[in-house]
Amino acid sequence: MRNQHLIGINEHNKNANGGTEITTRQLFDRLEPEELDGVQIITSRVRELDPDKIRIYHLHDLPGDPNASHLKDAASRDRFDHIVFSSNWQYQQFRNELGMPWSSQCSVIETGVESFPAPQQQDPRTNPIKLVYTSTPHRGLELLVPVFEQLVHHYPFVELHVYSTFKLYGWPERDQPYEELFERCRQHPNIHYHGLSTHENVRQAYLNSHIFAYPSIWPETSCRCLIEAMMAGCLCIHPNLAALPDTAGGMTQMYDGDVDPQAHATTFFQRLATVVETLRTTDLWESSSFQSGRTFQRVYAHRRFGWNAIVPRWSSLIQHLKGQLS
């Protein structure tokens, strides 16, 4: 493998397989070796900088993160030849909270995602309606589980598949506060707790699921799991928090969230129940307008976030920086 230092592999992420790490590795694999010659891409956490390379800082964190807050200082920003943000919302937050200038030193290049094949969901009128949650537990699983338990009382044919653990990042000790919640999932007959799984298994779960259920309570700077669910043709239900509206692009079942957990849960349950009821009791699934909408969502996500769209933007940036600094 080529120099890991080149793409920001460090003690924090060397054993991780979260969205940031998947994105970084897939980007590295898709850029040509000659493009990366003389270039160092630093992913979120700054460690050793190579003074002889073009230094691109690829940010995935929030401005309040200790590993990113140094950007409030111009001297720290000037260590990098260019700064790349993962979403427009994230860039705006850094400008608002850290006083970063609106500058040609910065760009927004969205999260790149590998394309998906055609969806494989079964007819929800005659088969179990499958929901899927694929993020770490602190981002909304505590809200989802009790809502789903209530949903089952009204709709016993629903299933929830949970792929959630900090083991994804190599931090098994951080699962401890959520063990009771995980056990609650294991004991429920309609919940399938998968814990740690391969990325390929998670991608297949999207393709088999009707609904991506994501009552997020965490301010995402981008959202790879939402992008993947959109590409796979899931109906995506989530609040209007942080970068989720930016990511969704008006293609999803987005609702107004609330800082109060009970109010948030009530709104989420109502939206979820309406979607499940409609899928089960109407011919919506077979309607041409609905299927056209699903296709449009999938095409939108692929054209905006697919690597075929993202890699040329990275290549263009690197070419520009090499020409500018030569």
Side-chain angles (χ1 to χ4, degrees):
M1 184 176 181
R2 284 171 284 174
N3 189 358
Q4 292 184 333
H5 165 55
L6 183 71
I7 57 166
I9 300 298
N10 55 55
E11 79 288 349
H12 177 82
N13 61 18
K14 64 181 179 179
N15 296 319
N17 199 35
T20 298
E21 292 75 32
I22 291 171
T23 299
T24 301
R25 290 162 186 153
Q26 290 187 355
L27 171 65
F28 182 67
D29 288 342
R30 285 164 172 76
L31 289 170
E32 296 296 332
E34 57 268 23
E35 291 181 288
L36 288 168
D37 284 346
V39 175
Q40 181 186 14
I41 299 174
I42 304 98
T43 304
S44 289
R45 285 158 175 79
V46 181
R47 295 298 185 263
E48 181 184 355
L49 296 178
D50 191 330
D52 297 322
K53 294 185 185 294
I54 295 171
R55 297 173 298 281
I56 302 175
Y57 191 14
H58 188 196
L59 274 164
H60 298 264
D61 295 320
L62 291 161
D65 191 304
N67 290 285
S69 59
H70 60 88
L71 289 177
K72 65 179 178 291
D73 298 321
S76 185
R77 296 194 296 271
D78 288 344
R79 294 181 297 162
F80 310 102
D81 298 297
H82 205 80
I83 300 171
V84 174
F85 293 89
S86 301
S87 70
N88 292 291
W89 179 87
Q90 181 198 28
Y91 182 21
Q92 189 65 51
Q93 292 302 108
F94 272 79
R95 291 170 57 202
N96 290 345
E97 295 187 26
L98 301 186
M100 286 183 62
W102 190 25
S103 168
S104 59
Q105 184 190 11
C106 301
S107 298
V108 174
I109 303 180
E110 287 94 346
T111 300
V113 174
E114 191 175 9
S115 62
F116 274 74
Q120 299 169 12
Q121 296 92 346
Q122 296 178 314
D123 190 330
R125 296 170 299 178
T126 55
N127 294 280
I129 294 180
K130 295 182 179 181
L131 287 64
V132 65
Y133 177 94
T134 60
S135 191
T136 44
H138 71 299
R139 302 190 184 204
L141 187 61
E142 287 177 289
L143 194 149
L144 171 59
V145 170
V147 166
F148 181 80
E149 289 170 342
Q150 290 301 311
L151 191 72
V152 172
H153 289 315
H154 301 273
Y155 307 101
F157 48 81
V158 294
E159 294 180 0
L160 172 61
H161 292 260
V162 176
Y163 296 81
S164 185
T165 173
F166 281 106
K167 294 184 180 75
L168 187 69
Y169 295 97
W171 306 334
E173 68 283 356
R174 289 191 60 181
D175 276 348
Q176 190 57 44
Y178 300 95
E179 278 303 327
E180 185 176 332
L181 184 64
F182 295 156
E183 187 60 25
R184 193 167 160 183
C185 292
R186 295 184 189 103
Q187 294 302 320
H188 196 288
N190 291 53
I191 301 179
H192 304 269
Y193 178 68
H194 302 274
L196 182 64
S197 189
T198 66
H199 187 217
E200 281 307 311
N201 285 344
V202 174
R203 283 170 57 88
Q204 188 60 48
Y206 291 125
L207 291 168
N208 293 336
S209 299
H210 302 92
I211 297 170
F212 173 61
Y214 193 42
S216 177
I217 58 173
W218 180 263
E220 304 270 15
T221 56
S222 179
C223 191
R224 186 184 187 89
C225 58
L226 174 58
I227 296 168
E228 292 187 325
M230 291 172 65
M231 284 185 171
C234 296
L235 288 170
C236 302
I237 304 178
H238 61 85
N240 54 349
L241 178 65
L244 295 180
D246 186 355
T247 303
M251 298 287 112
T252 61
Q253 294 281 323
M254 188 167 65
Y255 60 87
D256 295 317
D258 199 300
V259 69
D260 177 68
Q262 187 56 54
H264 188 167
T266 298
T267 302
F268 178 60
F269 174 84
Q270 291 169 346
R271 180 60 63 90
L272 198 55
T274 297
V275 171
V276 168
E277 175 77 20
T278 303
L279 289 177
R280 193 66 168 192
T281 62
T282 73
D283 291 329
L284 176 69
W285 189 259
E286 283 195 340
S287 70
S288 59
S289 60
F290 178 76
Q291 291 301 332
S292 294
R294 288 181 75 211
T295 299
F296 187 61
Q297 172 189 290
R298 294 181 62 246
V299 170
Y300 170 85
H302 277 91
R303 289 188 176 178
R304 182 179 172 191
F305 300 106
W307 282 116
N308 286 343
I310 299 301
V311 169
R313 294 169 65 183
W314 276 97
S315 297
S316 178
L317 171 63
I318 291 170
Q319 182 179 9
H320 170 73
L321 291 173
K322 285 184 174 181
Q324 189 179 58
L325 298 171
S326 61

